Amino acid sequence: MTREFAKDSTGVPVGTVALFLNLGSALVALLHNTGGAHTDFDWLCLGCGAHSFSPTHRPTARNSANDHAATCRALPWPPHQH
């Protein structure tokens, strides 16, 4: 399942409330889905592209993002050149 995440000028996904560093130095972003319920948190790895598939409570999403960061060895993708 492919999902698009809007990013701000720094390359961090919009709605990021916390960042985790994976083993390959890529960021894993914890996201609050604005406009949704207060339980709408998920995460996205900016290295391998993995993400949570169903929004959940912040502590659950945070723990899942941190667990992914602790095992993922993906390197960060270079910025797109235009």
Side-chain angles (χ1 to χ4, degrees):
M1 174 185 288
T2 301
R3 181 171 170 199
E4 294 294 321
F5 291 89
K7 294 183 179 173
D8 66 15
S9 61
T10 67
V12 174
V14 173
T16 297
V17 295
L19 294 168
F20 302 89
L21 189 63
N22 79 0
L23 297 174
S25 298
L27 296 175
V28 179
L30 177 64
L31 306 164
H32 182 243
N33 299 316
T34 57
H38 68 281
T39 59
D40 284 350
F41 288 87
D42 54 11
W43 58 268
L44 168 67
C45 180
L46 301 180
C48 73
H51 59 87
S52 59
F53 287 97
S54 56
T56 185
H57 294 280
R58 183 177 178 143
T60 303
R62 181 191 61 230
N63 291 342
S64 180
N66 191 40
D67 289 347
H68 178 81
T71 60
C72 181
R73 297 175 187 271
L75 299 173
W77 285 100
H80 292 287
Q81 301 295 320
H82 296 284

